[in-house]
Amino acid sequence: MTDQAQATGAAAANWAVWWHSGKPLIWLNALAVALSISAVVGLLALLAVRGLAYFWPAEVLEFDHLDNGAKTRVVGELVAREFTASADQHGDTEQWLLKTGNRRANPPDFRWYARAEMSNVRAPPDLVVIERREWGRAYGRLRALYEGDARVASGERVWPAIEARYEQVQALRDAAATLQSTGIDAINYELEELRLDRRRREFEALPPSLELVFRERELKARYAEYEARLGDINAALDRDSLHLDMMNDEIIELPLGDLLRIWRPNQMSWREKLRHYFVGVGLFLTEGPREANTEGGVFPAIFGTALMVMLMSIVVTPFGVLAALYLREYARQGPLVRVVRIAVNNLAGVPSIVYGVFGLGFFVYFIGGSIDDLFYAHAAPAPTFGTPGLIWASLTLALLTAPVVIVATEEGLARIPRSIREGSLALGATKAETLLRVILPMASPSILTGIILAVARAAGEVAPLMLVGVVKLAPTLPIDGHFPYIHLERKFMHLGFHIYDLGFQSPNVEAARPLVFATALLLVVVILLLNTTAILLRGRLERRYRSSYQD
């Protein structure tokens, strides 16, 4: 018993020594880091698998469905499979979710089918997928191609005939888009400017201007000319039509001008599928949304997010750095400065929606409304700056992220030894020269890290933007060819709000689900790139000024 007690005591002593050595905490920290990395990698993998798979040309199936004794033919893409317990407890029941499309002629475009009621499941090579400007995708077989009332091709000859005409249709569609943007939209913008100018003259009791009258007549004549040309192009687009044999042997007519893309996934090779995949990803990044944001791309949201973050950075950088410089280098350290620092730290923990309410009340209604009263009274009752817009969203997020920049800059300034300041002053430099040429360059790693962290946070914020400028769909970008070229008063789209709208406000949940994952992956990648850039730049600057920190 004595030997056993000694062995137990020795084991307990060894355990105590191991515990007090700090190794358990090291392993716990390593485990926490590993779990965090695994969670991030798992999240990215989930977003990538669920989002990027949307652009791959999936196989189109065809089968016979028996429902209450009636047999129908079904065509569509397999989206998901689900196994549910059967009522008679004799095993699981398999169900397939298919995207059948054609929701204008045969809604809904997503349907569940019991596997037991399906027979003769096949993937015929002649099935086509058609992506349209409206009403989503269409699935079926090509039956005939018409030019007006004359049949041009039928059966197997329809596919090569469409390939020959598709380039002409694309050229006409590009011409219509160019005419709309550079002609009709430009004239509408100038007519609106003339209307506001006329209202301004009436508001200031100035006499009517004959120049404005003649200019307005000239613009209206040009508008009628452009509208006639656009009508001719649209008539040419609607001239050719395609007859498609859908499920249930129903044949519909599709104008060739409504077709964006057409492909035969069951005949495509791996190289063709890969090319189709990258084209789809490119269109997603460069096109605007369609069909209540359930189709199309996210370019306006990317553009709005990037422009808002750039404007926010331009505002928050000098404000945050100057505030930190004053608190650390100029202010006399005492109770008042400590209270200010506590207030700055508390601002970092205020919920973001509170900043949105403040931005709406102060920036939009007070400052924007005052600007409208002073400079845009002739535009009343329509507000110009007294409404949510890009500039107010940027200022609100600058206020939200200012504590991050201030704290990071102060920490960087505090790390610089006092001897460096004294040495610079002893060599004859003024305090301003010391700050600009010595202190700020040495503190630049911390300043840069604070700025990039602020950018990363601003890129992911949604709640305050819903009150100060972001919208579901912006008709125009904040930058165009009209003076002053950057229109800060306009509303804009944002990636974070786009995700919220797709996930919670979409009228077609199944169609929007893959776009939610794809857009979320895009936003996460943008934020990760910003943080990675911050780490790399901080490391480079630290290596550059490392010798200056050494005593």
Side-chain angles (χ1 to χ4, degrees), residues 493-542:
M493 295 183 66
H494 186 270
L495 283 173
F497 183 78
H498 191 72
I499 296 171
Y500 164 77
D501 179 72
L502 286 173
F504 298 97
Q505 304 293 324
S506 175
N508 194 338
V509 177
E510 294 294 342
R513 183 174 298 168
L515 295 180
V516 171
F517 288 102
T519 310
L521 177 64
L522 178 62
L523 181 59
V524 171
V525 168
V526 169
I527 295 176
L528 286 179
L529 288 176
L530 291 173
N531 283 279
T532 304
T533 303
I535 295 172
L536 294 177
L537 291 178
R538 179 189 175 101
R540 181 178 179 180
L541 292 173
E542 282 185 341

Side-chain angles (χ1 to χ4, degrees), residues 423-446:
S424 176
L425 295 174
L427 292 173
T430 64
K431 188 169 186 178
E433 291 175 338
T434 300
L435 290 176
L436 292 177
R437 298 184 180 182
V438 179
I439 303 302
L440 282 181
M442 295 177 64
S444 57
S446 298

Side-chain angles (χ1 to χ4, degrees), residues 211-494:
E211 182 181 355
L212 294 180
V213 175
F214 291 141
R215 181 59 179 169
E216 186 174 11
R217 290 179 181 176
E218 179 185 355
L219 290 175
K220 289 182 178 180
R222 288 174 53 194
Y223 183 89
E225 178 184 352
Y226 283 133
E227 194 173 29
R229 291 169 55 186
L230 184 61
D232 294 338
I233 294 176
N234 289 331
L237 286 172
D238 294 336
R239 181 192 60 185
D240 298 342
S241 62
L242 179 68
H243 286 200
L244 183 70
D245 185 4
M246 303 191 311
M247 57 186 292
N248 300 331
D249 299 323
E250 182 180 359
I251 297 179
I252 62 171
E253 180 179 355
L254 303 176
L256 210 58
D258 288 343
L259 272 61
L260 297 177
R261 289 196 299 168
I262 180 170
W263 64 95
R264 286 178 168 181
N266 298 345
Q267 287 189 9
M268 298 172 69
S269 63
W270 276 97
R271 181 178 297 179
E272 292 172 336
K273 288 185 176 181
L274 197 62
R275 179 177 178 275
H276 180 92
Y277 175 82
F278 284 110
V279 169
V281 173
L283 293 176
F284 176 73
L285 296 176
T286 57
E287 283 190 342
R290 305 187 308 272
E291 297 293 298
N293 292 345
T294 59
E295 302 282 347
V298 293
F299 175 74
I302 298 175
F303 188 87
T305 303
L307 184 58
M308 181 205 67
V309 168
M310 290 174 59
L311 293 175
M312 182 274 301
S313 302
I314 293 174
V315 174
V316 74
T317 300
F319 178 79
V321 173
L322 289 176
L325 279 175
Y326 177 77
L327 291 175
R328 176 59 59 177
E329 303 293 334
Y330 287 96
R332 179 176 297 177
Q333 304 302 313
L336 182 59
V337 174
R338 287 197 295 269
V339 170
V340 172
R341 287 198 176 95
I342 293 173
V344 170
N345 293 329
N346 288 336
L347 283 176
V350 173
S352 59
I353 189 65
V354 176
Y355 286 95
V357 174
F358 174 81
L360 180 65
F362 181 73
F363 292 131
V364 178
Y365 292 152
F366 180 70
I367 297 182
S370 300
I371 293 175
D372 283 351
D373 292 338
L374 291 175
F375 303 104
Y376 297 95
H378 59 281
T384 302
F385 282 91
T387 184
L390 176 63
I391 184 168
W392 309 132
S394 302
L395 291 176
T396 301
L397 288 186
L399 189 63
L400 185 148
T401 56
V404 178
V405 178
I406 294 173
V407 171
T409 304
E410 267 208 277
E411 291 178 354
L413 295 174
R415 293 174 55 190
I416 301 174
R418 185 176 181 84
S419 59
I420 293 179
R421 296 175 174 82
E422 294 175 350
S424 176
L425 295 174
L427 292 173
T430 64
K431 188 169 186 178
E433 291 175 338
T434 300
L435 290 176
L436 292 177
R437 298 184 180 182
V438 179
I439 303 302
L440 282 181
M442 295 177 64
S444 57
S446 298
I447 297 174
L448 181 62
T449 300
I451 294 171
I452 300 299
L453 291 177
V455 168
R457 181 181 179 185
E461 285 292 344
V462 177
L465 300 180
M466 296 171 65
L467 301 176
V468 291
V470 74
V471 290
K472 174 187 177 72
L473 183 63
T476 55
L477 295 177
I479 294 181
D480 57 21
H482 304 292
F483 184 82
Y485 309 117
I486 300 178
H487 303 274
L488 302 180
E489 77 281 0
R490 289 183 182 175
K491 296 176 175 59
F492 66 101
M493 295 183 66
H494 186 270

Side-chain angles (χ1 to χ4, degrees), residues 38-50 52 520-521 524-525 528:
S38 301
V40 172
V41 173
L43 174 62
L44 292 177
L46 173 64
L47 295 178
V49 171
R50 299 293 297 273
L52 296 180
L521 177 64
V524 171
V525 168
L528 286 179

